[in-house]
Amino acid sequence: MNTTFEMPSQTATPLQYTPILSFMSDKQLALFVPFVVYWIYSGFYHLISIYEVSFFEKYRIHSLIEVETRNKVSMGEVVRAVLLQQFLQTLLGLLLVVVEDDDVLLDDEVELLGYRQTLEAMATIFGLWNLLEPYQNIIIETSYWYFIPLSRFLFAMIFLDTWQYFMHRLFHQNKFLYKHIHSLHHRLHAPYAFGALYNHPIEGFVMDSVGAGLAFKLSGMTTIGGMIFFGFATFKTVDDHCGYDLPFNPVQKIFGNNSAYHDIHHQSYGIKMNFSQPFFTIWDRILGTYLPEPPKSLKEYQSSQTTTIHSLTLKDREAIDHKDEPDVFKIQETISAGISPRYNLRPRKTLSSI
């Protein structure tokens, strides 16, 4: 049975609603799933980071000392800010749940009958019904159970990407919005997992709450579909800030917009690039803000040096962390000054190289 926010159609028969958990509705559960996903997944990365698990160390993007010295905010402050944002987002979601209609279950058999009638009508118009009639059951059931839910999910992903790209870019290009709101997130020059949602509450509301809410509503996903979407978007956001470039991580392999890609945006040379998040790189490619790896000149400089980030002074590491947004083309000045803004500039590994 499918759960939906919409009122049943005239042909639909409301059925008894049974939530996944007996003590809360599925709508309420959908609000808490991202919270659980966020702290469990980021907790995993935090543990392997602070204990410097040897297997993962070679995949670090930034050293632990970089995390401790280059970031302009303590981990305690980050945790408090993230919890505040999640509290406000959950509270807003609960208020919206109260004013919305109750969940309604639709009879799948009735819905499938409606799809069958639609298919027959459309195929008849184009003279294709005789050809499609023997396959109508497989066409209808495949569409209803797989193609339509997946297409709604994909639409939601593309919509959220579009929303976040243009909002994110606006928060960078408008000096007031950057200085007073978005610069908070860029206190993290060496991102880590549970800092993914370290944002100003206004930014969290505009980019995350409004964007994800509109993606859900406009896509027409069911409550269960929305629950999966919110959970996956949260999972992806945490992974993008995890601080590890893992060649065996399927999410990082499938999506070009991954931890290594987004980390570039947190560096001085890439702060005006790579605005896309959290799934694809479509808008970066179209609008000329695509920077898939550090500039070649920077990598050549890094490979010619024996000095690592561990031997750089704190003054050296802070030299690239300007208070205001630098021009992306000032990277040459950074290189000529003998400063390496990233700890790990190795080419991305592939499964064959492990």
Side-chain angles (χ1 to χ4, degrees):
M1 300 297 176
N2 285 341
T3 307
T4 180
F5 285 118
E6 299 178 353
M7 293 298 290
S9 62
Q10 293 180 349
T11 60
T13 303
L15 304 176
Q16 184 178 2
Y17 169 64
T18 304
I20 295 175
L21 300 179
S22 60
F23 53 88
M24 67 170 61
S25 70
D26 287 346
K27 287 182 182 179
Q28 294 170 335
L29 180 60
L31 297 174
F32 288 102
V33 163
F35 178 85
V36 175
V37 169
Y38 188 91
W39 290 108
I40 290 179
Y41 195 43
S42 65
F44 164 75
Y45 280 115
H46 181 62
L47 289 175
I48 66 174
S49 175
I50 62 173
Y51 288 107
E52 300 183 89
V53 179
S54 58
F55 176 78
F56 292 97
E57 281 301 289
K58 58 182 173 292
Y59 303 118
R60 272 188 184 272
I61 297 175
H62 299 280
S63 67
L64 193 57
I65 192 173
E66 262 194 296
V67 174
E68 295 171 349
T69 57
R70 288 187 61 210
N71 290 333
K72 309 306 179 187
V73 58
S74 70
M75 288 188 176
E77 291 176 281
V78 170
V79 170
R80 289 191 292 271
V82 171
L83 288 174
L84 173 62
Q85 178 168 309
Q86 290 178 324
F87 171 77
L88 294 175
Q89 289 177 338
T90 304
L91 181 62
L92 174 64
L94 290 173
L95 292 175
L96 292 175
V97 166
V98 170
V99 301
E100 282 189 334
D101 295 330
D102 293 334
D103 287 344
V104 174
L105 290 180
L106 299 181
D107 189 329
D108 293 320
E109 293 301 322
V110 174
E111 292 296 294
L112 287 168
L113 177 60
Y115 277 74
R116 182 173 286 104
Q117 293 171 344
T118 301
L119 175 63
E120 182 177 356
M122 295 299 296
T124 301
I125 292 175
F126 293 99
L128 299 174
W129 180 240
N130 290 335
L131 177 64
L132 298 179
E133 184 177 10
Y135 308 102
Q136 59 176 303
N137 287 338
I138 190 171
I139 293 173
I140 293 166
E141 293 189 9
T142 300
S143 298
Y144 183 73
W145 293 111
Y146 301 103
F147 177 74
I148 293 176
L150 288 175
S151 63
R152 288 172 174 170
F153 197 93
L154 180 60
F155 173 86
M157 292 172 69
I158 295 174
F159 180 90
L160 182 59
D161 258 32
T162 302
W163 178 270
Q164 294 213 348
Y165 176 88
F166 288 102
M167 289 296 104
H168 189 188
R169 188 164 182 173
L170 174 64
F171 274 98
H172 272 273
Q173 293 184 332
N174 184 290
K175 292 183 178 180
F176 177 86
L177 292 178
Y178 183 82
K179 180 179 180 180
H180 297 283
I181 297 178
H182 189 57
S183 62
L184 192 72
H185 184 67
H186 279 275
R187 292 178 182 178
L188 296 176
H189 296 280
Y192 48 83
F194 66 81
L197 290 184
Y198 175 64
N199 299 315
H200 191 286
I202 293 177
E203 178 181 346
F205 173 75
V206 173
M207 290 185 63
D208 299 328
S209 300
V210 175
L214 286 174
F216 168 72
K217 282 293 188 181
L218 294 176
S219 68
M221 284 190 293
T222 64
T223 303
I224 303 300
M227 189 185 306
I228 297 172
F229 175 70
F230 297 146
F232 181 64
T234 301
F235 178 93
K236 184 67 173 59
T237 301
V238 170
D239 199 78
D240 290 347
H241 293 81
C242 71
Y244 290 86
D245 183 8
L246 303 174
F248 48 82
N249 183 330
V251 173
Q252 293 185 15
K253 294 294 289 184
I254 294 171
F255 293 93
N257 194 339
N258 48 37
S259 59
Y261 184 83
H262 188 69
D263 181 81
I264 290 173
H265 177 70
H266 278 261
Q267 310 311 311
S268 61
Y269 60 84
I271 200 168
K272 291 188 177 180
M273 309 294 282
N274 295 6
F275 296 116
S276 291
Q277 57 185 46
F279 302 114
F280 309 111
T281 61
I282 299 171
W283 289 111
D284 277 326
R285 292 173 182 269
I286 293 175
L287 298 178
T289 53
Y290 180 66
L291 185 63
E293 56 184 18
K296 183 179 179 181
S297 53
L298 177 62
K299 291 191 293 182
E300 289 176 346
Y301 170 80
Q302 172 72 6
S303 62
S304 68
Q305 306 301 306
T306 56
T307 302
T308 69
I309 191 69
H310 296 283
S311 60
L312 293 177
T313 66
L314 179 59
K315 182 178 180 181
D316 289 334
R317 287 192 294 270
E318 290 183 339
I320 61 168
D321 302 333
H322 310 292
K323 292 182 180 180
D324 297 320
E325 270 196 294
D327 191 319
V328 68
F329 298 108
K330 289 184 178 179
I331 181 59
Q332 294 298 336
E333 297 177 12
T334 301
I335 297 171
S336 62
I339 300 168
S340 172
R342 288 186 76 201
Y343 163 66
N344 186 345
L345 292 177
R346 301 182 308 277
R348 283 182 56 78
K349 293 180 174 60
T350 61
L351 289 173
S352 60
S353 62
I354 297 178

